Amino acid sequence: MENKNLKLNLLTFEFPKEKTTLYFSETPSEYSRKVHFTNYPEGIETLFPGITTDKSRALYTTFGEPAEGFLPLSLSLTPANYPLLKKLSVRYLRYYFRKIHGLLLKDGFVDEVQVWLPVVEMQTEQWDLFERFSVKVQFCRVSNFPELVISYDGTSKVLKTTVSVVIADYGADKLKRVYHKNRLSHYEHLVAGGFCEFDQARPVLNAQLSNALGYPPDIPKQENAYPKHLEKIRQFIGRYLVKDELRKLFRLHSAELYAMPPALCSRTSSNSNQLLFGGRQTNRVPFSGLKTAGPFQPPKWKSIQLFYIFHRDDKKVAFDLHEMLTKGTGNYAGLSSFVKINAHVQPGFSIVFNSSTDPVSEVQAALEQKDLNPDIRYIAIYLSPWGKYETSPALRRNYYRMKELLLRYGMTMQAVETQKVSNRNGYFHYSLTNIALAMLAKLDGIPWRLSVPGKGELIIGVGAFRHPATRLQYLGSAFSFDNTGSFNRFEHFMNHETRLLAGSIIHAVRKFVSHNQGIERLIIHFYKTMSQRELNPIMEALYKLELNIPVFIVSINKTESRDLVAFDMDSPGLMPRSGTCLSIGKNRYLLFNNTRYENEAVKLTDGYPFPLKLSIDCTDPSRLDEMQITAGLIEQVYQFSRLYYKSVRQQGLPVTIKYPEILARMLPEFSGNGIPEFGLDTLWFL
């Protein structure tokens, strides 16, 4: 049964009947805004001859406000004029929400207004709570009309403590956004502008500030957020967007969300979620496939040695974990039965540390005394006294330091939180399942593969992570795969090292060509829209290789789309079926990637993820006119999300983006000496 009643969170409105007059000058005024040359409107040459070709000249506008020295120009609603008309619409929205309704606004992305609504009943002694809604203007992206996209963005907290108190107690480095006189501003912008009323401004709570204040972390709830988002969006529309003051400019066709035309909806093929397990048996559920058929490929190592690293007080915890991990419990059958790992535990080899704050130094000293056999593959189980929500950065960093240390000894590591083992309940066998799965991948086994025929194509993934403290962005890249999901190798770079990134991609291409008869196309999964600056070095290198092949760039937002989301009005849970794909603009798509298949119920533990937002480009744009090619690229993203070997649960992001992001997240915590050769072609980071 196909999805026939999908609604997108946007409203359409009527085109203005009259032309819009804006005012322009080459001389700025106090209230004017500079116009980027790519946004110059039609007819601007009639007022300023030659300005479209003379890049040394600048143009300014007061939008719809007459001003001395500014010349009027009437604009029709044509694609060339969309950018300026969008900005005019956003200015009116800002005026409407701030001046007419007195609401708090945050500057959003281009052509977007974010409204903060106070939730009085949720105020506490520590903070005021706000619900955030975004309103974005776009023209004829999905429909044939101008559109308002309305999204619910969750909540934010504004502390009742002043900025001056926070600076005195914790320093200014943890401040990002502050609230002052019903306005939100970046702290650094206020300082640069000479702001001094810090005893009247209040911080917006962020993760770093929350840690410093000792507040417990917000642990994400396992829930279906679709009904809540739909209800919030409908309430916002009814409260603000159907008012007469707004309808003068935005003449809405309806207050109901936009019904997606069937022509813009499609689905991945019925067998696109099939996976190959042992004996080439297929299954679409990872746990079921492993349980009935075993892994696609067990570890090839003749000898595998398992050892434990734990605090002296956790000896019994380590013993209990070993018993459960190797012999099984609940639905988990044990390492040998479940993932075909046959490991030896040598008496006396495990490492016990005494320090409660710095175990790494002790472990390093112990490893220096070990007589390691190069014919044995070692894997450590590190019982970490600290959980993933530990507030101390120094204690959290022990996890990364331990991982790096073992890598330098040619070992991989699987971390397990001591508290989870000690406080185990009837659900702990699910954790053991994921632990065994990750161990298999770290030992170069293959849990499962895609059930697709091989092709002459190479898929490269580039993911990123921005370190919250340094604000430096790290790239994990050149995670290269063939179309069956076979992993090859990866590299890592800083964000500005585009030439090195291009070099690693070409290295992967050259290696692929040397082991295969030919390469028909190169596909790059990129964590954002790839710029021409990033693409040029790749094309130059391909030209030198004399490879006349198309390069497809699939840009994949690394976070689930919440600005655009669809609701299946025929389903109680509202989440569209897995594999549903919606066209939301030229070569732009929403892909729903979940476990809602046919009429099966979705388990809460599987999650109700929001869709991925994709955009597709090609060095030969004519290739994108072929629907079969575009559909195949989208399906490949869908399939690669099923290759995540850290959990048997379905993931939203494809591993081409997810794996590099995990790597990039770890790099800032390492010592800076790089990753050993041993770690460049294994999945040690899982």
Side-chain angles (χ1 to χ4, degrees):
M1 177 179 169
E2 294 297 325
N3 292 318
K4 296 182 179 179
N5 193 8
L6 296 177
K7 292 201 172 180
L8 204 62
N9 60 323
L10 64 80
L11 305 176
T12 59
F13 59 96
E14 195 58 57
F15 287 100
K17 293 181 179 179
E18 306 82 16
K19 289 186 176 182
T20 302
T21 300
L22 301 186
Y23 297 84
F24 300 91
S25 172
E26 290 190 76
T27 304
S29 71
E30 182 180 358
Y31 300 106
S32 66
R33 292 290 182 268
K34 188 175 181 179
V35 182
H36 194 270
F37 72 91
T38 58
N39 293 340
Y40 286 172
E42 288 181 335
I44 195 65
E45 286 272 353
T46 62
L47 299 181
F48 307 98
I51 195 167
T52 57
T53 55
D54 187 352
K55 300 295 176 63
S56 65
R57 297 163 65 183
L59 188 65
Y60 302 86
T61 181
T62 57
F63 290 97
E65 300 296 327
E68 183 178 353
F70 281 74
L71 303 177
L73 181 66
S74 294
L75 304 185
S76 301
L77 194 59
T78 60
N81 294 334
Y82 284 171
L84 278 178
L85 294 175
K86 284 182 187 178
K87 295 183 186 301
L88 177 65
S89 299
V90 169
R91 283 171 65 90
Y92 186 82
L93 284 171
R94 295 184 67 81
Y95 173 83
Y96 171 75
F97 287 117
R98 175 170 283 157
K99 297 298 184 181
I100 295 180
H101 288 283
L103 298 174
L104 180 64
L105 304 184
K106 181 179 91 67
D107 293 331
F109 293 103
V110 179
D111 308 324
E112 176 184 279
V113 176
Q114 191 179 79
V115 184
W116 287 37
L117 301 182
V119 187
V120 179
E121 63 273 17
M122 295 295 288
Q123 290 181 357
T124 70
E125 294 181 357
Q126 291 80 29
W127 56 65
D128 293 326
L129 188 75
F130 291 83
E131 288 189 320
R132 297 175 283 122
F133 295 84
S134 289
V135 183
K136 184 168 67 173
V137 180
Q138 58 188 36
F139 285 84
C140 309
R141 281 278 185 88
V142 182
S143 68
N144 294 320
F145 296 95
E147 301 155 0
L148 290 178
V149 179
I150 304 98
S151 61
Y152 173 63
D153 301 337
T155 60
S156 284
K157 299 168 183 174
V158 176
L159 293 179
K160 292 185 176 179
T161 305
T162 65
V163 168
S164 58
V165 171
V166 169
I167 292 175
D169 292 344
Y170 304 101
D173 60 312
K174 297 172 181 62
L175 294 171
K176 294 182 180 178
R177 198 174 295 274
V178 300
Y179 171 86
H180 179 252
K181 293 183 178 179
N182 206 36
R183 287 185 178 272
L184 291 167
S185 305
H186 282 286
Y187 171 75
E188 58 187 34
H189 294 167
L190 288 178
V191 174
F195 181 80
C196 59
E197 296 181 351
F198 293 123
D199 58 339
Q200 300 178 36
R202 296 189 286 147
V204 177
L205 192 64
N206 59 66
Q208 284 181 286
L209 184 54
S210 182
N211 284 341
L213 293 168
Y215 293 153
D218 290 328
I219 300 175
K221 295 181 180 178
Q222 281 192 334
E223 62 178 357
N224 178 6
Y226 280 83
K228 179 179 179 179
H229 276 243
L230 179 60
E231 179 186 7
K232 295 290 185 183
I233 290 169
R234 282 177 164 171
Q235 288 175 352
F236 184 83
I237 292 171
R239 189 173 177 183
Y240 295 107
L241 300 186
V242 295
K243 303 298 183 182
D244 290 341
E245 304 99 309
L246 192 68
R247 291 176 69 91
K248 293 176 183 177
L249 184 62
F250 301 99
R251 292 177 292 171
L252 300 178
H253 293 133
S254 169
E256 261 304 308
L257 299 185
Y258 180 71
M260 284 297 294
L264 298 182
C265 306
S266 61
R267 281 181 48 77
T268 55
S269 61
S270 59
N271 63 348
S272 58
N273 48 35
Q274 291 296 313
L275 306 171
L276 279 179
F277 294 88
R280 303 193 69 82
Q281 295 186 44
T282 61
N283 203 307
R284 69 182 176 198
V285 180
F287 178 77
S288 299
L290 286 172
K291 186 176 181 181
T292 59
F296 179 85
Q297 179 180 296
K300 293 183 177 179
W301 296 92
K302 293 181 179 179
S303 182
I304 298 171
Q305 183 166 319
L306 173 65
F307 68 100
Y308 290 80
I309 301 173
F310 55 92
H311 189 270
R312 64 185 178 189
D313 295 338
D314 297 325
K315 183 175 182 179
K316 184 178 185 309
V317 178
F319 178 82
D320 290 346
L321 176 60
H322 179 70
E323 287 290 297
M324 291 183 289
L325 185 61
T326 55
K327 297 181 180 179
T329 180
N331 290 334
Y332 168 69
L335 281 178
S336 180
S337 297
F338 187 57
V339 289
K340 310 306 179 194
I341 293 177
N342 295 294
H344 168 64
V345 178
Q346 181 179 327
F349 195 91
S350 291
I351 299 173
V352 181
F353 58 86
N354 300 306
S355 174
S356 58
T357 57
D358 180 21
V360 179
S361 299
E362 292 184 56
V363 174
Q364 181 173 359
L367 287 172
E368 289 174 354
Q369 303 302 315
K370 300 289 185 187
D371 184 17
L372 301 179
N373 187 336
D375 295 327
I376 294 177
R377 182 66 178 267
Y378 296 90
I379 183 166
I381 302 291
Y382 168 48
L383 272 167
S384 172
W386 308 283
K388 64 186 295 186
Y389 297 110
E390 168 61 50
T391 56
S392 167
L395 294 181
R396 284 202 311 270
R397 191 165 178 263
N398 280 321
Y399 165 79
Y400 300 104
R401 293 176 60 210
M402 192 73 74
K403 227 170 180 54
E404 181 182 16
L405 171 65
L406 291 168
L407 270 181
R408 304 206 179 283
Y409 280 87
M411 301 175 178
T412 52
M413 178 192 96
Q414 179 63 42
V416 182
E417 294 176 23
T418 303
Q419 189 175 13
K420 285 187 176 180
V421 183
S422 301
N423 300 335
R424 63 184 181 273
N425 50 37
Y427 300 102
F428 187 66
H429 60 271
Y430 292 118
S431 296
L432 291 169
T433 297
N434 293 334
I435 291 168
L437 170 64
M439 289 175 64
L440 171 65
K442 290 172 183 178
L443 291 168
D444 303 330
I446 303 174
W448 56 80
R449 279 221 182 131
L450 299 176
S451 182
V452 294
K455 295 181 181 178
E457 62 185 24
L458 181 65
I459 301 96
I460 306 288
V462 181
F465 170 72
R466 188 180 298 278
H467 194 276
T470 64
R471 304 306 296 162
L472 294 175
Q473 190 168 49
Y474 295 79
L475 301 182
S477 175
F479 272 91
S480 51
F481 301 80
D482 63 22
N483 73 297
T484 68
S486 177
F487 166 72
N488 295 316
R489 188 181 173 89
F490 68 86
E491 303 287 350
H492 53 92
F493 311 97
M494 295 291 289
N495 187 33
H496 61 276
E497 296 174 325
T498 54
R499 288 281 171 184
L500 294 178
L501 169 63
S504 72
I505 291 175
I506 296 307
H507 174 76
V509 171
R510 187 181 290 112
K511 182 178 178 181
F512 185 88
V513 172
S514 67
H515 289 84
N516 298 273
Q517 291 187 348
I519 180 169
E520 299 171 4
R521 61 182 186 177
L522 172 63
I523 301 167
I524 301 175
H525 288 179
F526 213 66
Y527 70 99
K528 65 177 182 65
T529 301
M530 180 176 269
S531 67
Q532 198 62 43
R533 178 181 66 88
E534 292 160 326
L535 180 60
N536 283 340
I538 299 171
M539 297 310 301
E540 291 171 9
L542 285 174
Y543 178 77
K544 292 178 181 177
L545 286 178
E546 298 183 351
L547 286 175
N548 185 24
I549 58 173
V551 179
F552 291 88
I553 301 102
V554 183
S555 302
I556 305 168
N557 279 27
K558 56 179 275 190
T559 54
E560 298 167 356
S561 173
R562 291 174 183 260
D563 60 335
L564 269 177
V565 62
F567 303 93
D568 184 352
M569 308 308 292
D570 291 333
S571 170
L574 297 175
M575 182 175 69
R577 285 175 54 193
S578 185
T580 298
C581 184
L582 309 181
S583 176
I584 56 169
K586 184 175 175 59
N587 297 324
R588 293 161 58 88
Y589 305 90
L590 282 184
L591 175 62
F592 289 84
N593 194 3
N594 51 63
T595 57
R596 186 191 159 208
Y597 306 115
E598 286 83 40
N599 297 318
E600 298 175 18
V602 178
K603 296 178 182 177
L604 189 60
T605 52
D606 288 338
Y608 288 78
F610 283 93
L612 294 178
K613 187 186 291 183
L614 315 177
S615 63
I616 302 177
D617 202 356
C618 184
T619 52
D620 179 3
S622 65
R623 300 288 185 108
L624 299 179
D625 295 333
E626 302 178 43
M627 291 299 298
Q628 186 176 1
I629 289 179
T630 302
L633 293 169
I634 295 171
E635 186 160 297
Q636 197 168 70
V637 171
Y638 181 73
Q639 291 172 321
F640 270 63
S641 70
R642 281 150 175 76
L643 293 172
Y644 188 65
Y645 297 151
K646 197 172 180 179
S647 171
V648 292
R649 285 176 52 188
Q650 169 64 44
Q651 301 297 307
L653 278 176
V655 292
T656 41
I657 298 296
K658 187 66 176 176
Y659 281 179
E661 181 191 347
I662 295 174
L663 172 70
R665 186 180 296 270
M666 291 184 177
L667 290 177
E669 308 296 343
F670 278 23
S671 62
N673 297 321
I675 297 173
E677 186 71 18
F678 162 77
L680 294 179
D681 54 7
T682 64
L683 299 176
W684 58 268
F685 50 85
L686 293 179

